[in-house]
mmCIF file of all heavy atoms in Angstrom:
data_model
loop_
_atom_site.group_PDB
_atom_site.id
_atom_site.type_symbol
_atom_site.label_atom_id
_atom_site.label_comp_id
_atom_site.label_asym_id
_atom_site.label_seq_id
_atom_site.Cartn_x
_atom_site.Cartn_y
_atom_site.Cartn_z
ATOM 1 N N PHE A 189 18.701 6.705 5.268
ATOM 2 C CA PHE A 189 19.910 7.186 6.053
ATOM 3 C C PHE A 189 21.125 7.125 5.143
ATOM 4 O O PHE A 189 21.882 8.037 4.931
ATOM 5 C CB PHE A 189 20.138 6.450 7.262
ATOM 6 C CG PHE A 189 21.402 6.694 8.059
ATOM 7 C CD1 PHE A 189 21.592 7.800 8.592
ATOM 8 C CD2 PHE A 189 22.481 5.844 7.932
ATOM 9 C CE1 PHE A 189 22.840 8.100 9.304
ATOM 10 C CE2 PHE A 189 23.591 6.108 8.440
ATOM 11 C CZ PHE A 189 23.801 7.190 9.210
ATOM 12 N N LEU A 190 21.246 5.943 4.347
ATOM 13 C CA LEU A 190 22.395 5.776 3.521
ATOM 14 C C LEU A 190 22.311 6.764 2.247
ATOM 15 O O LEU A 190 23.336 7.146 1.764
ATOM 16 C CB LEU A 190 22.424 4.317 3.027
ATOM 17 C CG LEU A 190 22.559 3.211 4.009
ATOM 18 C CD1 LEU A 190 22.535 1.894 3.371
ATOM 19 C CD2 LEU A 190 23.954 3.482 4.737
ATOM 20 N N ILE A 191 21.059 7.167 1.868
ATOM 21 C CA ILE A 191 20.998 8.084 0.725
ATOM 22 C C ILE A 191 21.292 9.529 1.233
ATOM 23 O O ILE A 191 21.921 10.309 0.513
ATOM 24 C CB ILE A 191 19.613 8.109 0.241
ATOM 25 C CG1 ILE A 191 19.184 6.768 -0.514
ATOM 26 C CG2 ILE A 191 19.267 9.175 -0.722
ATOM 27 C CD1 ILE A 191 17.792 6.605 -0.945
ATOM 28 N N LEU A 192 20.987 9.885 2.458
ATOM 29 C CA LEU A 192 21.272 11.123 2.978
ATOM 30 C C LEU A 192 22.730 11.430 3.176
ATOM 31 O O LEU A 192 23.083 12.708 3.118
ATOM 32 C CB LEU A 192 20.535 11.404 4.307
ATOM 33 C CG LEU A 192 18.975 11.712 4.299
ATOM 34 C CD1 LEU A 192 18.495 11.601 5.704
ATOM 35 C CD2 LEU A 192 18.798 13.067 3.744
ATOM 36 N N ILE A 193 23.582 10.531 3.483
ATOM 37 C CA ILE A 193 24.898 10.756 3.871
ATOM 38 C C ILE A 193 25.730 11.507 2.749
ATOM 39 O O ILE A 193 26.264 12.599 3.062
ATOM 40 C CB ILE A 193 25.647 9.441 4.158
ATOM 41 C CG1 ILE A 193 25.110 8.833 5.491
ATOM 42 C CG2 ILE A 193 27.181 9.698 4.244
ATOM 43 C CD1 ILE A 193 25.751 7.527 5.803
ATOM 44 N N PRO A 194 25.785 11.082 1.495
ATOM 45 C CA PRO A 194 26.629 11.910 0.562
ATOM 46 C C PRO A 194 26.038 13.395 0.325
ATOM 47 O O PRO A 194 26.890 14.249 0.170
ATOM 48 C CB PRO A 194 26.408 11.076 -0.704
ATOM 49 C CG PRO A 194 25.293 10.290 -0.563
ATOM 50 C CD PRO A 194 25.055 9.904 0.783
ATOM 51 N N PHE A 195 24.765 13.489 0.361
ATOM 52 C CA PHE A 195 24.209 14.851 0.147
ATOM 53 C C PHE A 195 24.496 15.757 1.402
ATOM 54 O O PHE A 195 24.656 16.937 1.309
ATOM 55 C CB PHE A 195 22.698 14.735 -0.034
ATOM 56 C CG PHE A 195 22.374 14.162 -1.297
ATOM 57 C CD1 PHE A 195 21.757 12.805 -1.203
ATOM 58 C CD2 PHE A 195 22.587 14.609 -2.556
ATOM 59 C CE1 PHE A 195 21.449 12.115 -2.449
ATOM 60 C CE2 PHE A 195 22.250 13.982 -3.757
ATOM 61 C CZ PHE A 195 21.706 12.726 -3.678
ATOM 62 N N LEU A 196 24.516 15.088 2.506
ATOM 63 C CA LEU A 196 24.861 15.845 3.757
ATOM 64 C C LEU A 196 26.223 16.304 3.777
ATOM 65 O O LEU A 196 26.607 17.420 4.185
ATOM 66 C CB LEU A 196 24.606 14.970 5.053
ATOM 67 C CG LEU A 196 24.993 15.649 6.460
ATOM 68 C CD1 LEU A 196 24.148 16.761 6.659
ATOM 69 C CD2 LEU A 196 24.690 14.526 7.535
ATOM 70 N N VAL A 197 27.136 15.424 3.298
ATOM 71 C CA VAL A 197 28.624 15.787 3.061
ATOM 72 C C VAL A 197 28.718 17.163 2.160
ATOM 73 O O VAL A 197 29.444 17.923 2.468
ATOM 74 C CB VAL A 197 29.409 14.685 2.614
ATOM 75 C CG1 VAL A 197 30.884 15.044 2.235
ATOM 76 C CG2 VAL A 197 29.461 13.492 3.585
ATOM 77 N N ILE A 198 27.952 17.068 1.013
ATOM 78 C CA ILE A 198 28.007 18.320 0.202
ATOM 79 C C ILE A 198 27.558 19.503 0.945
ATOM 80 O O ILE A 198 28.203 20.562 0.761
ATOM 81 C CB ILE A 198 27.149 17.850 -1.073
ATOM 82 C CG1 ILE A 198 27.787 16.799 -1.898
ATOM 83 C CG2 ILE A 198 27.083 19.169 -1.896
ATOM 84 C CD1 ILE A 198 27.031 16.428 -3.020
ATOM 85 N N ASP A 199 26.517 19.395 1.596
ATOM 86 C CA ASP A 199 25.980 20.605 2.323
ATOM 87 C C ASP A 199 27.004 21.056 3.385
ATOM 88 O O ASP A 199 27.197 22.338 3.548
ATOM 89 C CB ASP A 199 24.689 20.139 3.157
ATOM 90 C CG ASP A 199 23.527 20.056 2.168
ATOM 91 O OD1 ASP A 199 23.531 20.667 1.053
ATOM 92 O OD2 ASP A 199 22.539 19.281 2.482
ATOM 93 N N LEU A 200 27.703 20.122 4.065
ATOM 94 C CA LEU A 200 28.688 20.585 5.030
ATOM 95 C C LEU A 200 29.891 21.249 4.437
ATOM 96 O O LEU A 200 30.432 22.227 4.938
ATOM 97 C CB LEU A 200 29.242 19.389 5.912
ATOM 98 C CG LEU A 200 28.095 18.850 6.763
ATOM 99 C CD1 LEU A 200 28.730 17.534 7.473
ATOM 100 C CD2 LEU A 200 27.805 19.767 7.987
ATOM 101 N N VAL A 201 30.351 20.771 3.176
ATOM 102 C CA VAL A 201 31.430 21.269 2.510
ATOM 103 C C VAL A 201 31.158 22.763 2.075
ATOM 104 O O VAL A 201 31.869 23.604 2.207
ATOM 105 C CB VAL A 201 31.866 20.493 1.405
ATOM 106 C CG1 VAL A 201 33.005 21.087 0.596
ATOM 107 C CG2 VAL A 201 32.447 19.076 1.950
ATOM 108 N N ILE A 202 29.955 22.844 1.454
ATOM 109 C CA ILE A 202 29.451 24.139 1.068
ATOM 110 C C ILE A 202 29.395 25.146 2.031
ATOM 111 O O ILE A 202 29.801 26.377 2.067
ATOM 112 C CB ILE A 202 28.114 24.046 0.174
ATOM 113 C CG1 ILE A 202 28.413 23.125 -1.057
ATOM 114 C CG2 ILE A 202 27.721 25.387 -0.177
ATOM 115 C CD1 ILE A 202 29.330 23.664 -2.043
ATOM 116 N N ALA A 203 28.760 24.712 3.236
ATOM 117 C CA ALA A 203 28.615 25.588 4.329
ATOM 118 C C ALA A 203 29.937 26.053 4.892
ATOM 119 O O ALA A 203 30.109 27.252 5.268
ATOM 120 C CB ALA A 203 27.660 24.861 5.506
ATOM 121 N N THR A 204 30.931 25.146 5.016
ATOM 122 C CA THR A 204 32.172 25.502 5.455
ATOM 123 C C THR A 204 32.972 26.411 4.514
ATOM 124 O O THR A 204 33.520 27.419 4.994
ATOM 125 C CB THR A 204 33.129 24.192 5.617
ATOM 126 O OG1 THR A 204 32.414 23.285 6.577
ATOM 127 C CG2 THR A 204 34.432 24.535 6.164
ATOM 128 N N LEU A 205 32.828 26.335 3.319
ATOM 129 C CA LEU A 205 33.440 27.255 2.272
ATOM 130 C C LEU A 205 32.817 28.587 2.330
ATOM 131 O O LEU A 205 33.564 29.537 2.296
ATOM 132 C CB LEU A 205 33.287 26.601 0.896
ATOM 133 C CG LEU A 205 34.148 25.383 0.581
ATOM 134 C CD1 LEU A 205 33.818 24.870 -0.856
ATOM 135 C CD2 LEU A 205 35.637 25.682 0.706
ATOM 136 N N LEU A 206 31.535 28.687 2.510
ATOM 137 C CA LEU A 206 30.889 30.019 2.682
ATOM 138 C C LEU A 206 31.287 30.698 3.965
ATOM 139 O O LEU A 206 31.543 31.908 3.976
ATOM 140 C CB LEU A 206 29.444 29.856 2.577
ATOM 141 C CG LEU A 206 28.857 29.403 1.202
ATOM 142 C CD1 LEU A 206 27.236 29.151 1.350
ATOM 143 C CD2 LEU A 206 29.099 30.400 0.157
ATOM 144 N N MET A 207 31.448 29.948 5.049
ATOM 145 C CA MET A 207 31.790 30.724 6.302
ATOM 146 C C MET A 207 33.225 31.109 6.220
ATOM 147 O O MET A 207 33.655 32.168 6.656
ATOM 148 C CB MET A 207 31.674 29.605 7.484
ATOM 149 C CG MET A 207 30.254 29.309 7.780
ATOM 150 S SD MET A 207 30.006 28.245 9.234
ATOM 151 C CE MET A 207 30.725 29.407 10.555
ATOM 152 N N SER A 208 34.167 30.257 5.548
ATOM 153 C CA SER A 208 35.548 30.749 5.447
ATOM 154 C C SER A 208 35.754 31.907 4.582
ATOM 155 O O SER A 208 36.637 32.709 4.682
ATOM 156 C CB SER A 208 36.425 29.583 4.864
ATOM 157 O OG SER A 208 35.879 29.212 3.660
ATOM 158 N N MET A 209 34.759 32.093 3.659
ATOM 159 C CA MET A 209 34.815 33.287 2.772
ATOM 160 C C MET A 209 34.017 34.466 3.292
ATOM 161 O O MET A 209 33.930 35.567 2.715
ATOM 162 C CB MET A 209 34.141 32.934 1.413
ATOM 163 C CG MET A 209 34.907 31.915 0.663
ATOM 164 S SD MET A 209 34.128 31.309 -0.811
ATOM 165 C CE MET A 209 34.038 32.842 -1.789
ATOM 166 N N GLY A 210 33.523 34.332 4.489
ATOM 167 C CA GLY A 210 32.689 35.399 5.248
ATOM 168 C C GLY A 210 31.372 35.711 4.652
ATOM 169 O O GLY A 210 30.783 36.722 4.732
ATOM 170 N N MET A 211 30.892 34.693 3.802
ATOM 171 C CA MET A 211 29.568 34.909 3.242
ATOM 172 C C MET A 211 28.447 34.103 4.017
ATOM 173 O O MET A 211 27.769 33.180 3.539
ATOM 174 C CB MET A 211 29.530 34.412 1.701
ATOM 175 C CG MET A 211 30.650 35.028 0.963
ATOM 176 S SD MET A 211 30.827 34.231 -0.792
ATOM 177 C CE MET A 211 29.124 34.641 -1.451
ATOM 178 N N MET A 212 28.347 34.546 5.231
ATOM 179 C CA MET A 212 27.408 33.913 6.187
ATOM 180 C C MET A 212 26.030 34.203 5.990
ATOM 181 O O MET A 212 25.116 33.408 6.462
ATOM 182 C CB MET A 212 27.875 34.245 7.642
ATOM 183 C CG MET A 212 29.218 33.621 8.056
ATOM 184 S SD MET A 212 29.620 34.188 9.655
ATOM 185 C CE MET A 212 29.899 35.941 9.512
ATOM 186 N N MET A 213 25.774 35.264 5.258
ATOM 187 C CA MET A 213 24.282 35.646 5.031
ATOM 188 C C MET A 213 23.649 34.784 3.832
ATOM 189 O O MET A 213 22.451 34.851 3.673
ATOM 190 C CB MET A 213 24.172 37.090 4.752
ATOM 191 C CG MET A 213 24.646 37.974 5.945
ATOM 192 S SD MET A 213 23.716 37.720 7.362
ATOM 193 C CE MET A 213 22.170 38.373 6.819
ATOM 194 N N LEU A 214 24.572 34.315 3.044
ATOM 195 C CA LEU A 214 24.095 33.409 1.871
ATOM 196 C C LEU A 214 23.689 32.022 2.284
ATOM 197 O O LEU A 214 24.526 31.354 3.060
ATOM 198 C CB LEU A 214 25.130 33.398 0.775
ATOM 199 C CG LEU A 214 24.796 32.675 -0.464
ATOM 200 C CD1 LEU A 214 23.619 33.456 -1.168
ATOM 201 C CD2 LEU A 214 26.104 32.686 -1.414
ATOM 202 N N SER A 215 22.506 31.532 1.962
ATOM 203 C CA SER A 215 22.092 30.188 2.408
ATOM 204 C C SER A 215 22.938 29.123 1.553
ATOM 205 O O SER A 215 23.107 29.123 0.387
ATOM 206 C CB SER A 215 20.602 30.050 2.024
ATOM 207 O OG SER A 215 20.202 28.686 2.350
ATOM 208 N N PRO A 216 23.498 28.194 2.406
ATOM 209 C CA PRO A 216 24.285 27.149 1.746
ATOM 210 C C PRO A 216 23.391 26.281 0.811
ATOM 211 O O PRO A 216 23.871 25.620 -0.100
ATOM 212 C CB PRO A 216 24.804 26.345 2.949
ATOM 213 C CG PRO A 216 24.767 27.288 4.163
ATOM 214 C CD PRO A 216 23.535 28.159 3.854
#
Side-chain angles (χ1 to χ4, degrees):
F189 172 76
L190 296 177
I191 293 174
L192 279 171
I193 290 178
F195 298 107
L196 179 61
V197 172
I198 294 177
D199 288 333
L200 290 175
V201 171
I202 297 297
T204 303
L205 290 176
L206 290 178
M207 290 185 64
S208 64
M209 295 171 62
M211 304 174 64
M212 292 177 291
M213 300 301 294
L214 183 62
S215 175

